[in-house]
Amino acid sequence: MSIDVYLNGEFLPVEEARVSVTDRGFLFGDGVYEVIPVYGGHLFQLQHHLQRLHNSLRGIGMANPHTDDEWEQILTRLTSQLGDSDQALYLQVTRGCTDVRDHAWPEAIEPTIYARTKTLKPPTIDEKRRGIHAITLDDPRWQHCNIKAITLLANVMARHEAADAGAQEAILIRDGLATEGAASNLFIVKDKLLITPPKSDSLLPGITREIALELAKQHGIPIAEASISAVDLRTADEIWMSSSTKEIVPVLQLNGEAVGNGVAGKVWEEMTVLYEDCKDRLRNGEQL
Ligand code: PDD
């Protein structure tokens, strides 16, 4: 049994990890999380993920239980258990356990801190090039989608509806604008311009989104952080979805219609080379 879990100060195999049924994460979905990719044993964009974790905790009125250095020590020790493999690291902090089930939380409460790492085989470029199908759905979520909350029922339902329609992702529409996917951020390419909705409380500030924007800037791909209407989406030359585990994938069909000419687009090809290069540099131990 490999040691793949950190739970409240202990490193242990997942089979031995136990959380109380009085945990508010279990009872209320009262907590936040992160998913951090690990390439060749190195945590990808750790500082960005820790900053977002900090913002999410603050957003739900929780103190950060660790400094960045402490987080780094815990997470590096955990991922080193699986050597220099590629991994997906899941990290969750819930408000903790309370004997009385009350929506309001008491002041003195110890958070539950949980992380699990798993080897991950990132999709190959060819797999990504095959693309995905997406559908659009009205976004039924709350006003704080910038918080990476573990309360994911609306996202779960949206992804399920997409799967029922033979698609892999749902693109969510709020007030007539496409914001993000059920578990990913959204990009379109229109007349060679790469467009993604600006950060707001309607979407998660994705780390992959941030890196894609950064790479585009560095390599002269024109970008705009601007609203995407349902019409923009329908008439886009390319649509991409981005996330830490799926990376950047082209959407080849939207609501059953071909996107652009129905194959992965030129700008996606260019971005994918840049993104793969980033991962390889990290695998080789380069500081990014
Ligand atoms: N989800 N938007 C939503 C709603 C998400 O759940 C995610 C990621 C993203 C992309 O964020 P990032 O690039 O930082 O992974 C955007 C993770 C992977 C998950 O829930 O498993």
Side-chain angles (χ1 to χ4, degrees):
M1 279 193 294
S2 59
I3 306 285
D4 52 0
V5 163
Y6 169 86
L7 182 62
N8 298 327
E10 280 187 274
F11 291 87
L12 66 175
V14 68
E15 293 81 1
E16 290 173 17
R18 296 281 176 276
V19 177
S20 165
V21 291
T22 66
D23 191 274
R24 293 179 61 92
F26 178 61
L27 294 174
F28 295 108
D30 186 357
V32 298
Y33 76 109
E34 279 296 322
V35 178
I36 310 174
V38 177
Y39 297 113
H42 303 279
L43 289 140
F44 188 55
Q45 300 299 332
L46 179 63
Q47 288 318 313
H48 279 94
H49 283 280
L50 291 180
Q51 182 60 53
R52 185 173 64 185
L53 175 68
H54 193 79
N55 296 345
S56 294
L57 286 164
R58 199 178 44 212
I60 67 163
M62 279 185 72
N64 194 333
H66 291 300
T67 63
D68 283 1
D69 283 350
E70 289 166 350
W71 278 121
E72 185 164 357
Q73 273 176 32
I74 294 167
L75 301 178
T76 314
R77 181 164 159 200
L78 182 61
T79 52
S80 69
Q81 303 291 325
L82 301 186
D84 53 10
S85 60
D86 291 347
Q87 303 165 41
L89 174 66
Y90 178 84
L91 163 61
Q92 170 174 311
V93 183
T94 70
R95 208 176 302 270
C97 299
T98 44
D99 195 30
V100 177
R101 185 184 171 279
D102 184 356
H103 290 60
W105 65 84
E107 279 311 313
I109 180 167
E110 280 292 306
T112 302
I113 305 168
Y114 160 66
R116 182 178 184 194
T117 198
K118 252 174 126 50
T119 47
L120 164 85
K121 206 181 142 293
T124 63
I125 298 184
D126 275 342
E127 280 163 356
K128 288 196 266 191
R129 192 177 282 121
R130 273 178 232 137
I132 60 167
H133 294 184
I135 58 167
T136 49
L137 286 180
D138 282 336
D139 187 352
R141 298 175 303 162
W142 68 339
Q143 290 298 328
H144 306 289
C145 301
N146 52 325
I147 297 174
K148 200 162 170 61
I150 60 170
T151 332
L152 286 171
L153 200 47
N155 309 61
V156 166
M157 301 296 286
R159 198 41 105 65
H160 192 76
E161 199 168 330
D164 272 351
Q168 289 76 40
E169 184 57 303
I171 298 176
L172 303 171
I173 310 283
R174 176 170 290 192
D175 301 327
L177 300 176
T179 55
E180 64 174 342
S184 55
N185 286 114
L186 169 70
F187 289 85
I188 65 168
V189 176
K190 184 77 192 163
D191 300 327
K192 303 206 169 81
L193 178 66
L194 179 61
I195 308 170
T196 192
K199 287 186 201 171
S200 74
D201 55 14
S202 297
L203 57 97
L204 187 79
I207 309 304
T208 321
R209 170 191 180 280
E210 205 61 43
I211 302 309
L213 287 177
E214 192 66 41
L215 288 171
K217 263 185 224 158
Q218 285 168 9
H219 295 274
I221 300 172
I223 53 171
E225 290 184 71
S227 311
I228 297 176
S229 69
V231 174
D232 295 331
L233 203 57
R234 254 201 326 273
T235 57
D237 301 323
E238 300 181 27
I239 301 178
W240 317 341
M241 310 306 300
S242 71
S243 78
S244 291
T245 43
K246 306 267 166 61
E247 302 177 352
I248 304 173
V249 284
V251 176
L252 302 186
Q253 258 193 36
L254 180 70
N255 297 326
E257 305 275 322
V259 175
N261 53 13
V263 295
K266 281 207 174 67
V267 186
W268 176 82
E269 295 281 352
E270 195 180 342
M271 176 60 71
T272 295
V273 170
L274 300 173
Y275 200 81
E276 290 295 322
D277 176 60
C278 240
K279 288 160 50 185
D280 282 343
R281 284 192 284 132
L282 186 67
R283 285 193 185 104
N284 292 331
E286 222 179 284
Q287 289 285 341
L288 298 182

